[in-house]
Amino acid sequence: MLNRAAVTTVTAAALGALVAAAIMVPRPAPELAMPALTPPTVAAVDEPSPPLPVILPDFDREQGLSLAGDAWGDAEIAVEPVERRVVSLGRGGTLIQLLLDAEVPREQAHEAVAAMRKVHNPRQLRLGQEFSVLFDRTGEEPRFVGFEFQPAVEKVVSVTAGDEGFRAAEIEKPLARLTVGARGTINSSLYQAGAEAGVPMPILAALIRTYSYDVDFQRDVHEGDGFEVLFDRYTTEDGSIAREGAIRYAALKLGNKVLPVYRYEFQDGTVDYFTRKGESIRKALLRTPIDGARISSKFGMRRHPVLGYSKMHKGMDFAAPTGTPIYAAGDGVIEEAGQKGSYGNYVRIRHNGKIQTAYAHLSRFGANIRRGARVTQGDVIGFVGTTGRSTGPHLHYEVLENGRQTNPLKADMPTGRTLDGKEMARFKALVAEVDEEFARATAVAAAQPAGTLELVSASGEETVKSGACSREPGC
Ligand SMILES: [Zn+2]
């Protein structure tokens, strides 16, 4: 029943001048389901779902009965005169108190919340969460019959009174997958251009991570360069965005170079990005283990600002605001996570028998980052800070080869999987399909006048105050 969304074209005008269109596509077939990167939590609701409490837009006593609708329109909904009191969770408030305030008898409030616990953890309730408290108005006195709320765009939790007490259910709405295409010209930064083109932040961050093996976004991107991106978006049937999905295709135009990448899922379910020729763009280490930072000091000899003589800098410094997440540059095991002299808060990962990476001056560590823990490339291992001997918030990053610091830009790392034979044939077919999809998704935008982006800074002039290691050994 979810596949009924035949190929319908929907324009996404709201995405801005440079953007494009969204095309309704059928949900992915199970064998093409999204991999771990973007969990395919598209709910199936083919089974008879538990009774949804009636949601009345507004109870109108004059009219008596109003027709209830839950925006899905395809279910027969019983018509009942139910009053709905909408309340929202305040700071420090509890759900029980909220129900009491809505005039729910104490015992029933406790029973209803106890029932809810079976499907939803009350600790996960957000501040400001709205609840509809439902009362049957057929009798003389309003009778509490349950409550419901939407913890996420695609989820409804409902608690209803029955003959045997309260019952709770969590209903997941089916999601539609849209394919969204966008392109833009970079005048100041990719972030700026992406935002102007309506590309949401999670997709921009993923785009930067996807290219972080090969592109140094501080040095390699210049005014007049451009990008293209095609990504999935999951929406509920009423058009609300539930979440952004994976990037299926992207291209960066840097000077005369164009770097297209395609997302490909192997038959065994692993996913990677490949050039048009079928070469993996993955390297064993990320080139930049942090988003949106700029290099404030490179590996090599440098003149010390205070002492005035040249000294070896055995890592790379990335200036970024305190709290900016730092990613594990590659898969590996945490060898050290703690305070380490002038390095301040320090994490070191062993990637294989030869290569380690180290991260210094962190303000704090990522969740579960401790000695012996296993990490995957891209996991957050900590956050930028200025602990230890440091002149300002920055990440000091080292790549160690056989225990010695080496230039991260020159470290020779093996690349990822390659495509051959049957996989290559599948990939070629996918490339053709995706190219066509991108053309379709952006055709509508091309018909609209292209927006001009404001030039904010001619050459990405640096406004962040430089953070750098001071004269500590090994830094
Ligand atoms: Zn440094």
Side-chain angles (χ1 to χ4, degrees):
M1 97 185 252
L2 297 174
N3 282 326
R4 78 190 117 136
V7 183
T8 317
T9 307
V10 179
T11 50
L15 278 178
L18 288 170
V19 192
I23 303 167
M24 273 285 232
V25 293
R27 266 174 73 235
E31 69 270 17
L32 292 175
M34 315 258 76
L37 262 165
T38 42
T41 43
V42 184
V45 289
D46 289 328
E47 309 80 50
S49 35
L52 246 184
V54 180
I55 306 173
L56 295 176
D58 261 315
F59 182 68
D60 184 339
R61 267 167 221 141
E62 299 300 311
Q63 280 190 333
L65 305 183
S66 325
L67 246 194
D70 64 354
W72 293 90
D74 51 4
E76 283 269 334
I77 292 168
V79 177
E80 270 176 350
V82 170
E83 182 190 342
R84 175 191 187 211
R85 296 176 191 166
V86 178
V87 288
S88 67
L89 199 60
R91 191 174 297 279
T94 65
L95 180 52
I96 298 267
Q97 191 55 51
L98 212 59
L99 294 175
L100 295 178
D101 292 347
E103 294 169 39
V104 174
R106 183 172 293 271
E107 196 179 324
Q108 288 176 35
H110 280 278
E111 278 175 25
V113 171
M116 183 201 75
R117 259 177 227 279
K118 288 176 191 152
V119 300
H120 193 87
N121 182 353
R123 287 179 193 280
Q124 285 169 0
L125 293 173
R126 286 176 290 111
L127 189 67
Q129 173 73 59
E130 286 194 346
F131 295 84
S132 295
V133 187
L134 308 165
F135 293 88
D136 180 345
R137 296 299 302 246
T138 49
E140 254 176 37
E141 291 291 313
R143 188 172 60 88
F144 173 61
V145 290
F147 67 91
E148 65 173 29
F149 63 100
Q150 234 179 313
V153 167
E154 75 277 23
K155 269 185 199 160
V156 176
V157 172
S158 73
V159 177
T160 39
D163 295 339
E164 284 151 39
F166 288 92
R167 264 186 35 189
E170 187 182 63
I171 301 134
E172 251 185 86
K173 293 180 179 181
L175 297 179
R177 181 164 64 96
L178 300 177
T179 303
V180 182
R183 62 156 64 98
T185 301
I186 299 163
N187 281 333
S188 58
S189 71
L190 179 62
Y191 272 105
Q192 175 91 11
E196 299 264 354
V199 181
M201 278 310 284
I203 294 295
L204 272 179
L207 182 75
I208 287 171
R209 265 202 300 282
T210 303
Y211 279 101
S212 56
Y213 300 101
D214 291 308
V215 176
D216 173 343
F217 282 89
Q218 286 307 313
R219 290 190 315 168
D220 302 343
V221 179
H222 302 281
E223 190 190 337
D225 289 344
F227 75 90
E228 295 183 341
V229 63
L230 185 76
F231 61 96
D232 288 334
R233 167 173 286 171
Y234 293 90
T235 63
T236 57
E237 228 165 301
D238 57 8
S240 309
I241 299 172
R243 78 181 71 88
E244 308 296 351
I247 292 177
R248 303 191 31 224
Y249 154 80
L252 281 183
K253 184 184 147 289
L254 304 175
N256 296 324
K257 270 194 306 186
V258 180
L259 307 169
V261 297
Y262 295 82
R263 181 179 189 278
Y264 178 73
E265 187 180 339
F266 284 88
Q267 272 162 333
D268 67 11
T270 55
V271 167
D272 212 341
Y273 286 87
F274 293 88
T275 66
R276 198 181 282 272
K277 286 187 193 155
E279 294 157 346
S280 169
I281 61 157
R282 176 178 296 273
K283 306 274 194 307
L285 291 187
L286 294 175
R287 177 127 171 222
T288 307
I290 185 169
D291 294 333
R294 69 183 176 80
I295 297 169
S296 52
S297 179
K298 277 187 255 169
F299 186 88
M301 296 302 281
R302 68 172 177 189
R303 180 164 280 269
H304 192 277
V306 179
L307 303 175
Y309 58 81
S310 293
K311 184 177 179 307
M312 188 68 184
H313 182 232
K314 290 182 172 173
M316 266 174 95
D317 290 344
F318 295 94
T322 297
T324 305
I326 299 164
Y327 307 113
D331 296 358
V333 176
I334 305 280
E335 268 187 337
E336 216 176 311
Q339 277 190 19
K340 192 181 175 73
S342 55
Y343 280 116
N345 289 329
Y346 172 91
V347 170
R348 194 175 63 246
I349 304 171
R350 173 167 289 284
H351 300 286
N352 55 36
K354 198 170 108 182
I355 304 281
Q356 295 151 286
T357 53
Y359 313 77
H361 310 309
L362 316 191
S363 55
R364 58 195 174 91
F365 300 98
N368 304 317
I369 296 302
R370 62 179 77 91
R371 201 186 140 95
R374 201 157 269 288
V375 288
T376 302
Q377 186 172 67
D379 284 354
V380 174
I381 53 119
F383 300 88
V384 170
T386 185
T387 56
R389 222 173 293 167
S390 159
T391 60
H394 78 288
L395 165 67
H396 170 88
Y397 173 58
E398 289 178 3
V399 175
L400 298 101
E401 215 171 310
N402 298 318
R404 292 176 60 100
Q405 288 94 348
T406 178
N407 186 345
L409 296 178
K410 300 239 168 87
D412 188 21
M413 298 304 298
T415 55
R417 281 172 81 166
T418 51
L419 296 169
D420 45 25
K422 234 170 140 185
E423 300 272 18
M424 190 65 193
R426 272 184 79 210
F427 176 72
K428 286 245 160 90
L430 174 113
V431 166
E433 203 178 287
V434 167
D435 282 351
E436 203 174 287
E437 218 171 318
F438 182 75
R440 240 183 2 234
T442 50
V444 179
Q448 297 168 352
T452 35
L453 300 180
E454 278 281 277
L455 185 65
V456 172
S457 110
S459 56
E461 264 168 89
E462 293 151 0
T463 48
V464 187
K465 261 277 156 263
S466 167
C469 295
S470 45
R471 61 203 154 86
E472 64 275 29
C475 198

